Amino acid sequence: MSKCEQCIVRQFSSLKALTKDELLRMANCKTSYTIKKGEPIFEEGEVTNGVYCIKEGVCKMTKLSANGKDQIVKLVKSGEMLGQRSMISEEPANLSAIALEDMEVCFVPKAEIMQFFNQNNQFSLNIMRTICGDLKEADDQMVSMAQKSVKERLAQTLIYLEDTFGNNEDGSLRIQLSREELAGIIGTATESCIRLLSDFNKSELIAISGKKIIIKNKKELRKLSE
């Protein structure tokens, strides 16, 4: 039995539609990599020529803004696939994918994926649904940026980080973003983000220990995020 068959990516992504034979074919043509924390899986403008399956770890998807700063567009965790849209639109990558922790990633060449896409209706439908889901997410994010205050967006982001990625044993958020990265997600200056975190700390919504953040009053934080 191929390892692709038992892989976490298969459970959560478009790959669940592939047959045993297709999975075996994929297992034979994929390349596995270890990506170290801080390293790119691919960069904006790169021609990826295939898709990346995130077997383990979390990465940030970033876009270089006009002022030369990296804006975090979204975070991606294990079980997901990257590069589906650029592969189908035949365009270079629109975003960079940078590891937030050590990652295990598999690369499957475009030729193989396109063969599945053309032969397996359910697989191609799944990929389209994923791309539509990403578009919906981008729309929601845009509306949130336009209509919510920076304070509300910070509360929303902290809850998202805990709900999606969980906590360390000491209760702190497992995904530890720098203040600059947090500011990039909520669309504000780093100084404003630090000031807001300090306010949240004083109000006992969160506790701050060095770079670590612990959510103390999720109910109030959720209320604030809405």
Side-chain angles (χ1 to χ4, degrees):
M1 187 151 62
S2 77
K3 282 186 180 172
C4 290
E5 235 177 299
Q6 302 143 316
C7 179
I8 184 172
V9 183
R10 187 188 172 214
Q11 295 166 38
F12 295 110
S13 75
S14 318
L15 300 179
K16 58 177 169 275
L18 296 184
T19 64
K20 279 192 176 186
D21 285 352
E22 287 170 332
L23 285 165
L24 205 56
R25 256 185 21 225
M26 192 166 95
N28 290 332
C29 74
K30 72 177 170 62
T31 317
S32 301
Y33 299 98
T34 298
I35 310 272
K36 292 282 173 206
K37 181 180 177 174
E39 285 181 358
I41 300 172
F42 56 81
E43 291 180 308
E44 189 179 337
E46 201 178 297
V47 176
T48 51
N49 281 326
V51 297
Y52 292 87
C53 299
I54 310 293
K55 198 174 170 190
E56 232 172 82
V58 177
C59 68
K60 58 179 180 178
M61 306 300 293
T62 65
K63 191 155 187 65
L64 202 61
S65 59
N67 62 6
K69 277 193 174 181
D70 273 333
Q71 168 82 39
I72 296 184
V73 176
K74 66 186 284 194
L75 302 178
V76 178
K77 61 182 188 303
S78 55
E80 297 189 49
M81 277 166 73
L82 301 176
Q84 299 172 89
R85 188 180 63 190
S86 2
M87 183 188 66
I88 287 164
S89 65
E90 297 189 328
E91 291 170 341
N94 187 40
L95 305 169
S96 296
I98 316 285
L100 282 172
E101 55 186 12
D102 289 355
M103 299 179 74
E104 293 296 324
V105 174
C106 290
F107 175 76
V108 186
K110 177 180 178 176
E112 209 62 41
I113 292 285
M114 286 315 285
Q115 210 173 339
F116 301 149
F117 190 84
N118 293 325
Q119 292 167 0
N120 182 327
N121 282 344
Q122 192 54 54
F123 175 68
S124 45
L125 190 61
N126 285 354
I127 283 196
M128 289 308 178
R129 281 189 180 135
T130 305
I131 293 170
C132 291
D134 288 347
L135 275 173
K136 181 178 182 290
E137 220 173 86
D139 288 345
D140 292 346
Q141 179 75 0
M142 200 163 61
V143 170
S144 168
M145 282 289 207
Q147 295 181 353
K148 289 191 173 186
S149 69
V150 176
K151 197 175 191 175
E152 288 165 339
R153 293 203 297 269
L154 179 58
Q156 185 180 17
T157 300
L158 293 174
I159 287 168
Y160 160 76
L161 288 174
E162 183 170 273
D163 286 351
T164 311
F165 306 104
N167 301 317
N168 296 311
E169 280 177 21
D170 61 3
S172 63
L173 296 175
R174 189 175 83 78
I175 293 300
Q176 205 177 297
L177 296 173
S178 69
R179 302 300 186 248
E180 199 171 358
E181 286 170 331
L182 257 182
I185 286 182
I186 62 174
T188 191
T190 307
E191 300 74 38
S192 309
C193 181
I194 292 169
R195 212 165 34 242
L196 277 174
L197 285 170
S198 170
D199 290 347
F200 283 7
N201 190 24
K202 280 180 197 144
S203 315
E204 296 189 348
L205 295 171
I206 62 171
I208 295 173
S209 164
K211 285 184 176 177
K212 293 181 171 184
I213 295 173
I214 298 164
I215 292 181
K216 299 203 72 173
N217 191 339
K218 198 167 187 178
K219 196 178 166 190
E220 281 306 308
L221 206 58
R222 204 181 287 280
K223 214 183 276 182
L224 182 59
S225 76
E226 290 160 0

